[in-house]
């Protein structure tokens, strides 16, 4: 058992002994409450003070029993405190409290269930972005590795409601379930969907046929690492140059060219504009390779007269600085003067 839990139980037992001792002296000797409490405290503390009143035979027997249990409990408390101090438990408790405080402050974050090979890669990508996330892991050895990597983490079973609630699932933007067992992924998906119906859930599928079960459980998207890995290896032989381009555009290590998605908010000043009148290409130099409409329809290589609507997602290709500039421009809703100036420059 955790030494901290030992200590909590010992303190509760001590409080119970004080209550029993106070009630015992009041009942057996007929003392008033303060005298009974004082006698109980000096007895449990073994300070050696004389009795405040003469004790009857029953009172003496009760006192001996109280001393026996009191010394045992106090010795246990001292042992637990020593264990906490010597094993560095106190420092771990303080660190865990800080960690829990940071997790409680998260909002619009992602919950990653499982820190295996795939989970570790996802965390690495999210940290490089950066995106707020918290990892839920049950293996104590893996938890130690998470602490070394300075990731926000929570030790527990992701299939439990309490664990996901502690991870802030009510305020989370999405959940990624990448534990090795498909059965656990199904349970995690079911639990997460029940706790937050609006949550975006991405689940890993390991075996053939589990994709349907995961989608029935409530997953928005299911990914099979083995299927994707096999397909990518085949394409690397069949279309090597295409794969090189995709790796450059999507890889984190290639900073000269990136492919990103930008959501047009309802407050954007460019709602109703088409791609030509917006002047995005001339202003930033990015290439808009696709638009995912709010309805879910994907428009590839959109025409210049394609209109933009609220909650459309632009799929853009370009340099990171240009993409950042476009993102600022698209989100510029309240800065009407800047939008008007931008339009005037491209009329």
């Amino acid at each position: 058992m955790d030494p901290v839990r030992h200590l909590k139980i010992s303190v509760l037992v001590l409080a119970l002994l004080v209550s029993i001792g106070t009630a015992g002296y009041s009942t057996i000797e007929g003392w008033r409450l303060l005298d009974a409490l004082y006698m109980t405290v000096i007895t449990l503390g073994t300070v050696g003070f004389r009795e405040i009143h003469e004790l009857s035979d029953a009172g003496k027997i009760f006192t001996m029993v109280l001393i026996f249990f009191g010394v045992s409990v106090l010795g246990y408390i001292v042992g637990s405190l020593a264990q906490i101090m010597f094993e560095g438990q106190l420092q771990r408790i303080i660190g865990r409290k800080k960690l829990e405080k940071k997790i409680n402050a998260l909002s619009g974050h992602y919950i990653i269930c499982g820190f295996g090979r795939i989970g570790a890669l996802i965390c690495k990508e999210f940290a490089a972005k950066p995106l707020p996330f918290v990892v839920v892991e049950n293996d104590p050895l893996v938890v130690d590795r998470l602490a070394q990597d300075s990731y926000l983490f929570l030790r527990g079973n992701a299939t439990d409601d309490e664990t996901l609630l502690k991870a802030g699932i009510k305020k989370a933007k999405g959940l990624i379930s990448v534990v090795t067992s498909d059965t656990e992924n199904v349970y995690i998906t079911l639990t997460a969907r029940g706790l937050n119906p609006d949550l975006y859930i991405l689940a890993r599928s390991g075996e053939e046929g589990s994709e349907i079960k995961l989608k029935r459980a409530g997953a928005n998207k299911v990914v099979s690492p083995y299927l994707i890995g096999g397909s990518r290896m085949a394409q690397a032989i069949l279309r090597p140059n295409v794969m090189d381009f995709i790796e450059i555009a999507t890889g984190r290590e290639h900073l000269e060219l990136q492919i990103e998605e930008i959501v047009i908010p309802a407050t954007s000043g460019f709602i109703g504009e088409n791609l030509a009148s917006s002047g995005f290409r001339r202003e930033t130099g990015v290439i808009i390779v696709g638009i995912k409409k709010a309805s879910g329809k994907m428009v590839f290589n959109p025409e210049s007269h394609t209109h933009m609507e609220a909650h459309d997602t632009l799929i853009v290709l370009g340099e990171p600085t240009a993409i950042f500039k476009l993102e600022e421009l698209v989100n510029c809703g309240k800065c009407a003067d800047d939008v008007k100036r931008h339009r005037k420059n491209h009329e």
Side-chain angles (χ1 to χ4, degrees), residues 85-157:
M85 299 301 289
F86 286 122
E87 292 184 4
Q89 291 285 345
L90 188 60
Q91 188 176 358
R92 262 182 285 217
I93 292 166
I94 295 170
R96 191 163 57 200
K97 290 293 182 185
K98 288 181 179 178
L99 196 66
E100 289 174 359
K101 191 175 181 181
K102 288 180 181 179
I103 293 172
N104 290 334
L106 288 175
S107 181
H109 60 290
Y110 292 87
I111 300 171
I112 301 172
C113 303
F115 193 71
R117 286 174 294 180
I118 295 175
L121 288 172
I122 293 171
C123 291
K124 198 173 181 181
E125 292 289 337
F126 277 22
K129 181 71 178 171
L131 281 177
F133 66 91
V134 58
V135 182
V136 177
E137 178 57 58
N138 203 25
D139 190 333
L141 296 176
V142 178
V143 167
D144 290 339
R145 203 171 80 210
L146 277 165
Q148 292 173 3
D149 291 338
S150 300
Y151 292 144
L152 290 180
F153 67 91
L154 194 65
R155 182 179 174 183
N157 194 332

Side-chain angles (χ1 to χ4, degrees), residues 222-292:
V222 180
V223 174
S224 173
Y226 304 109
L227 184 63
I228 291 175
S231 175
R232 192 157 183 174
M233 289 176 72
Q235 295 301 321
I237 298 297
L238 299 171
R239 301 176 183 87
N241 294 317
V242 173
M243 291 304 298
D244 287 345
F245 174 77
I246 292 174
E247 285 181 4
I248 290 172
T250 58
R252 181 171 50 87
E253 65 276 6
H254 301 286
L255 299 177
E256 66 274 11
L257 187 67
Q258 294 286 306
I259 188 165
E260 278 291 349
E261 57 180 65
I262 300 173
V263 179
I264 300 175
T267 56
S268 177
F270 291 94
I271 293 176
E273 293 282 331
N274 59 44
L275 294 179
S277 63
S278 68
F280 287 159
R281 176 70 186 272
R282 293 189 297 272
E283 180 73 17
T284 63
V286 300
I287 301 171
I288 299 177
V289 296
I291 299 178
K292 185 177 182 181

Side-chain angles (χ1 to χ4, degrees), residues 17-26 29 31-55 62-63 66-67:
L17 277 176
V18 171
S19 301
I20 292 172
T22 304
Y25 283 121
S26 296
E29 302 295 341
W31 294 350
R32 63 192 184 103
L33 188 63
L34 183 59
D35 288 345
L37 176 62
Y38 178 74
M39 184 65 186
T40 302
V41 171
I42 63 173
T43 301
L44 292 176
T46 63
V47 293
F49 292 165
R50 61 184 296 274
E51 298 88 351
I52 55 174
H53 301 294
E54 289 292 330
L55 289 171
F62 179 76
T63 301
L66 195 63
I67 290 172

Side-chain angles (χ1 to χ4, degrees), residues 141-207:
L141 296 176
V142 178
V143 167
D144 290 339
R145 203 171 80 210
L146 277 165
Q148 292 173 3
D149 291 338
S150 300
Y151 292 144
L152 290 180
F153 67 91
L154 194 65
R155 182 179 174 183
N157 194 332
T159 60
D160 293 338
D161 290 12
E162 187 180 350
T163 302
L164 292 180
L165 287 170
K166 285 181 180 179
I169 194 169
K170 296 287 187 181
K171 300 182 292 180
K173 187 175 181 180
L175 179 140
I176 304 170
S177 182
V178 284
V179 297
T180 53
S181 168
D182 282 356
T183 305
E184 284 191 50
N185 282 322
V186 170
Y187 277 120
I188 292 169
T189 303
L190 279 169
T191 306
R193 181 58 68 208
L195 292 172
N196 188 344
D198 300 323
L199 189 71
Y200 184 86
I201 300 176
L202 173 65
R204 168 188 171 173
S205 168
E207 298 176 7

Side-chain angles (χ1 to χ4, degrees), residues 275 288-291 299-306 315:
L275 294 179
I288 299 177
V289 296
I291 299 178
V299 180
F300 294 100
N301 191 22
E303 300 287 342
S304 59
H305 56 76
T306 304
I315 312 298

